[in-house]
């Protein structure tokens, strides 16, 4: 019979009368029924706290199902009524000594949940006894209870030496007890500022032995704890990794990803490249298998794979087709697959990848098409031997006249021009035919940059820029900055063509806009042009820094940290846990005589991260600006610019922050 009938609002007086009924009920069936009604009302949000004294009396009933409901009630209301919760202490102590191990475990678990000071004080002795209980179910429950108690009162756990008792449970003959002890120690280590879990090879080896008999979640706990083992001798990491590899065949995706994380971690402590290559080959099939699961699991796997192949590109290097998008994949899975396809692309498979991307560019999903078009451009920047074919594909897409496709193509063609100067400028005419289709700031800024950069080759560059300048004051800042620089480039390369545009743009930039970056750049250009045209040419037309693809390998330190958090939110966000968690305890690769100090493998050695490239470009631009002012008298700025009225100096402000921390090791 369904329990739905219990989910009806009950009156306190009626429920109390049923609880205290004197009618014969040898099997306690009526009490079980009324307790179900009370729990149902709690679930619906009805206040059942007035029944507290009556529920305490029901604790005497020796039926396990009733005790579970009574304890659930106590957990729900004990914190709001701590004084009344004291009435339950005697029954808790009695249940902890019950012959039935399920009742003993239930009592100790419930006391751990009720974080009321007097109950916590009474919990210490029973918890110590339960950690040594004859039944493994009680011991494993007590192990988790220690972790809960640590969150409430750390000093009490340390003074009662519960951590040492947990450590002793690592030698327990029951693998479930070992798994729970490991989980509790890991939780305590992550929450403590002065306790750091550290396993030696002997304990780590015992934990791996216990894996075979643990439940799937127990295996996850143990594998997670193996990250606290730091190999100290050659061969230890290889031996442990080899014993963990059978977990890669597990049906549970959490076990598989955690096993992958541990193996990737242990690779940092291996000496022979042959061993690492062998393990990389073993990692590929389980990761491919994860992609046959549901879309949510696929996405988690894809985000983690993107991290792994940045560190170990040999993993999945021959499995490109697995990441080809299916028509029914959700958009978030498709976008994640595109990133991996790009990372795995090389000169040998560029034609295969390009053919697939061209198919994607004809899809109906706008976001997916944009990403596919941009990936074609990034492919051209990454693989020089395939650049010509990528550009041909982009031109075909531009000729479709689809607005958003044209704009994405222009954005990436700008990067191609920067990567390969004086090679593919013959397509500029095709780009100029699509100026009327541009309505997005990024595409406009890219087209304006192309016009300014090749103003000496585009005969009507002044006319094209003049068309853009009609709406200068209404444009976003990035377009205004591009127009300002492009106009100055036109003037430097073709003074006659740009002499009417430059004064007009500089007047707008220095007098009629509020953005400080735009105004400052306008002042700098005016000062350069009015005092030393040669210096202006050297600065504005200086050789640009080498560019690369926009999503390349992240910083090595961040990558190493994220690989220690595979199968967690950090590996999905691709951000350090410190950015979204308070009181996070960082993880690092701990020093060891066998630790490999090598940079992560990259798909192309010359590639730099987009952030690093952007920062470098800013530094060089700032350096160029500083150099351009050397030797000039800034007091004459107004006389050099007939349009400027007042010049206000604004001091710069900088600040820095320093952090630090200390750890105390608990060796196991």
């Amino acid at each position: 019979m369904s329990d739905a009938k219990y989910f009806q609002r009950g009156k306190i007086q009626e429920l109390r009368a049923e609880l205290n009924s004197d009618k014969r009920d040898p099997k306690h069936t009526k009490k079980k029924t009324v307790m179900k009604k009370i729990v149902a009302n709690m679930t619906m949000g009805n206040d059942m706290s007035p029944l507290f004294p009556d529920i305490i009396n029901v604790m005497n009933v020796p039926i396990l199902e009733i005790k579970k409901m009574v304890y659930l009630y106590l957990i729900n209301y004990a914190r709001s009524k701590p004084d009344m919760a004291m009435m339950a202490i005697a029954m808790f102590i009695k249940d902890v000594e019950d012959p039935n191990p399920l009742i003993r475990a239930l009592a100790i678990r419930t006391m751990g949940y009720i974080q009321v000071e007097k109950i916590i004080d009474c919990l210490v002795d029973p918890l110590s006894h339960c950690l040594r209980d004859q039944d493994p179910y009680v011991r494993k429950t007590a192990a988790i209870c220690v972790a809960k108690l640590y969150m409430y009162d750390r000093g009490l756990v340390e003074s009662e030496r519960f951590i040492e008792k947990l450590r002793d449970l690592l030698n327990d003959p029951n693998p479930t007890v070992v798994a729970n002890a490991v989980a509790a120690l890991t939780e305590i280590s992550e929450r403590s500022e002065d306790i750091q879990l550290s396993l030696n090879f002997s304990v780590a080896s015992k934990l791996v032995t216990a894996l075979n008999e643990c439940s799937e979640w127990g295996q996850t706990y143990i594998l997670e704890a193996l990250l606290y083992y730091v190999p100290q001798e050659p061969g230890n990491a290889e031996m442990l990794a080899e014993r963990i590899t059978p977990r890669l065949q597990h049906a549970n995706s959490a076990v598989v990803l955690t096993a992958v994380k541990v193996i990737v971690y242990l690779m940092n402590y291996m000496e022979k490249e042959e061993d690492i290559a062998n393990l990389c080959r073993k990692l590929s099939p389980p990761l491919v298998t994860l992609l046959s699961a549901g879309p949510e699991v696929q996405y988690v796997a894809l985000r983690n794979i993107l991290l792994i192949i940045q560190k170990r590109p040999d993993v999945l290097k021959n499995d490109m087709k697995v990441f080809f998008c299916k028509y029914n994949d959700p958009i978030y899975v498709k976008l994640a697959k595109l990133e991996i396809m790009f990372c795995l692309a090389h000169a040998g498979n560029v034609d295969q990848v390009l053919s697939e991307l061209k198919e994607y560019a004809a899809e109906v999903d706008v976001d997916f098409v944009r990403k596919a078009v941009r990936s074609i451009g990034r492919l051209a920047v990454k693989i020089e031997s395939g650049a010509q074919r990528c550009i041909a594909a982009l031109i075909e897409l531009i000729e479709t006249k689809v607005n958003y496709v044209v704009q994405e193509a222009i954005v990436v063609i700008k990067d191609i021009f920067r990567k390969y100067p004086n090679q593919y400028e013959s397509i500029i005419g095709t780009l100029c035919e699509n100026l009327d289709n541009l309505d997005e700031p990024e595409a406009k800024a890219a087209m304006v940059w192309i016009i300014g950069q090749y103003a000496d080759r585009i005969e009507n560059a002044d006319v094209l820029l003049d068309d853009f300048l009609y709406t200068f004051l209404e444009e976003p800042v990035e377009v205004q900055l591009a127009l300002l620089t492009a106009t100055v480039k036109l003037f430097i390369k073709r003074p006659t063509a740009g002499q009417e545009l430059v004064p007009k743009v500089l007047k707008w930039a220095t007098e009629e806009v509020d953005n400080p970056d735009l105004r400052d750049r306008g002042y700098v250009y005016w000062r350069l042009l009015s005092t030393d045209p040669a210096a202006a040419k050297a600065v504005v037309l200086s050789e640009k820094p080498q560019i690369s693809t926009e999503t390349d390998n992240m910083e090595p330190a961040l990558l190493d940290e994220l690989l220690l958090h595979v199968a967690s939110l950090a590996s999905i966000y691709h951000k350090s846990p410190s950015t979204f968690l308070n009181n996070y305890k960082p993880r690092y690769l701990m020093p060891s005589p066998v630790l490999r100090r090598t940079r992560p493998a990259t798909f192309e050695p010359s590639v730099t991260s987009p952030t690093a490239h952007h920062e470098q470009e800013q530094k060089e631009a700032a350096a160029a600006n500083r150099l351009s002012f050397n030797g000039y008298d800034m007091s004459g700025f107004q006389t050099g610019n007939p349009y400027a009225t007042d010049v206000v100096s604004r001091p710069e402000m900088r600040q820095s922050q320093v952090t630090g921390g200390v750890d105390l090791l608990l060796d196991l």
Side-chain angles (χ1 to χ4, degrees), residues 175 202-214 222 240 243:
S202 175
V203 174
S205 183
K206 290 179 181 177
L207 292 181
V208 174
T209 303
L211 280 174
N212 297 325
E213 302 176 39
C214 284
I222 290 177
L240 214 57
R243 295 176 63 189

Side-chain angles (χ1 to χ4, degrees), residues 20-21 67 81 104 106 143-144 149 161 176-177 211 215 261 265 345 365 367 396 435 443 454 482 564 597-598 638:
N20 298 324
S21 174
K67 280 190 176 292
K81 296 185 176 294
R104 295 202 300 272
L106 187 61
I144 296 298
L149 181 59
R161 306 180 68 83
T176 307
V177 176
L211 280 174
S215 66
K261 170 167 60 176
Y265 162 72
D365 192 303
D367 291 335
E396 289 180 20
L435 294 182
Y454 300 101
L564 297 176
R597 288 296 183 184
T598 56
Q638 281 183 284

Side-chain angles (χ1 to χ4, degrees), residues 598-648:
T598 56
R599 291 177 61 84
T602 59
F603 292 93
E604 48 178 340
S606 62
V607 168
T608 57
S609 70
T611 303
H613 159 66
H614 180 64
E615 292 176 352
Q616 180 65 22
E617 189 174 3
Q618 285 185 327
K619 289 178 182 177
E620 294 191 14
N625 286 341
R626 287 196 298 272
L627 290 172
S628 67
F629 286 105
N630 287 344
Y632 295 123
D633 181 12
M634 291 307 295
S635 62
F637 185 83
Q638 281 183 284
T639 59
N641 182 356
Y643 299 105
T645 54
D646 295 318
V647 178
V648 181

